[in-house]
Amino acid sequence: MNHIVLGYDGSDFSVQALDWALDEAELRKLPLTVSHAWQWPYGQADEEAKAHLRKAAEHVLWHGADCARSSSSGIRVETDLFEGPAAHRLVELSADAALVVVGSRGLSALPRAVVGSVAGYVAAHAECPVIVVRGPGPLPTVTNPGPIVVSGTEPAASVLEFAFAEAELRHLPVSAPVDLGEWTARHPRTRLEASEGHEHPTLMVVGREHAARFSLADFLLQHAPCPVAVVGG
């Protein structure tokens, strides 16, 4: 639980994820690990060909880390270059992470893909909460941010704890479809809002089991108007 992990592949979608991961690292006062995975996709290859691909991967990783360092207010930025599947590496890194942040699609995602295979796999298997940031390019500037919205009729305690902690960090209210007297007592600085639909939520939070049962990919990651946090039980 000692760092924020960002999955970065140089795509426009990972640029939004980088912005969000930086915010989380700065709010939580934790270092950021920028992770990039690469692998030779064409079967057998000589070492020279693989060396060229590795050099390109190093450049992608360097670019992401450089953007993070130049945009942050002084947090420590570390790098992780991995040869192999990105999804498996991010799940591995989640074991000692406070949070993993990924874009909803990567460079290899198909235009009609509901959610990138990396994002979907990491959201389902990570050992810590995962935030999937939807959309390409830099995050838009929001002058009047909406609440942290808890999805589901019976959210687990871990989901509520994450939502309230995130709301407290960002000085935002929480919207949830349950009576949260216990939680508002534990987080007196966080306001509770009615659970009616919000046009511009800042973040939606859903439990991992609830997300799987109701098709996270089809329902949330394809249609949510904001980043989605998936939290285990």
Side-chain angles (χ1 to χ4, degrees):
M1 304 286 286
N2 58 5
H3 62 151
I4 305 296
V5 173
L6 165 69
Y8 184 83
D9 66 1
S11 67
D12 285 346
F13 289 86
S14 69
V15 171
Q16 279 209 3
L18 186 149
D19 286 350
W20 192 279
L22 276 175
D23 276 353
E24 293 287 349
E26 291 177 350
L27 289 169
R28 297 165 183 256
K29 297 179 172 55
L30 291 175
L32 173 66
T33 297
V34 181
S35 179
H36 177 63
W38 69 281
Q39 55 186 334
W40 182 259
Y42 307 117
Q44 295 297 320
D46 59 47
E47 289 305 312
E48 183 179 357
K50 290 184 67 175
H52 283 297
L53 188 58
R54 178 185 174 87
K55 183 63 71 175
E58 289 173 349
H59 179 75
V60 170
L61 181 60
W62 172 85
H63 180 265
D66 187 61
C67 288
R69 292 186 181 107
S70 62
S71 302
S72 76
S73 59
I75 63 166
R76 189 168 82 252
V77 177
E78 301 167 344
T79 58
D80 175 75
L81 184 66
F82 177 73
E83 182 179 359
H88 294 173
R89 180 56 174 167
L90 292 173
V91 169
E92 185 177 50
L93 292 173
S94 74
D96 64 353
L99 181 68
V100 173
V101 183
V102 293
S104 58
R105 299 181 196 168
L107 289 170
S108 62
L110 297 173
R112 287 293 300 156
V114 177
V115 61
S117 59
V118 171
Y121 185 90
V122 175
H125 295 92
E127 296 184 37
C128 67
V130 176
I131 292 182
V132 180
V133 185
R134 300 185 67 250
L139 284 173
T141 301
V142 179
T143 56
N144 187 26
I148 306 297
V149 176
V150 177
S151 178
T153 55
E154 297 181 0
S158 58
V159 174
L160 293 171
E161 182 58 46
F162 182 89
F164 271 88
E166 192 74 16
E168 200 165 290
L169 285 172
R170 296 178 178 274
H171 306 289
L172 293 173
V174 168
S175 174
V178 291
D179 180 8
L180 295 176
E182 172 192 353
W183 294 92
T184 53
R186 290 168 59 176
H187 298 269
R189 293 180 293 177
T190 301
R191 191 173 82 256
L192 182 65
E193 283 192 353
S195 60
E196 286 79 12
H198 295 276
E199 291 187 7
H200 303 290
T202 294
L203 177 70
M204 294 185 70
V205 185
V206 64
R208 191 161 286 135
E209 290 184 5
H210 173 86
R213 191 163 64 246
F214 289 93
S215 182
L216 172 65
D218 290 338
F219 178 66
L220 284 179
L221 294 185
Q222 179 68 0
H223 302 293
C226 62
V228 176
V230 181
V231 182

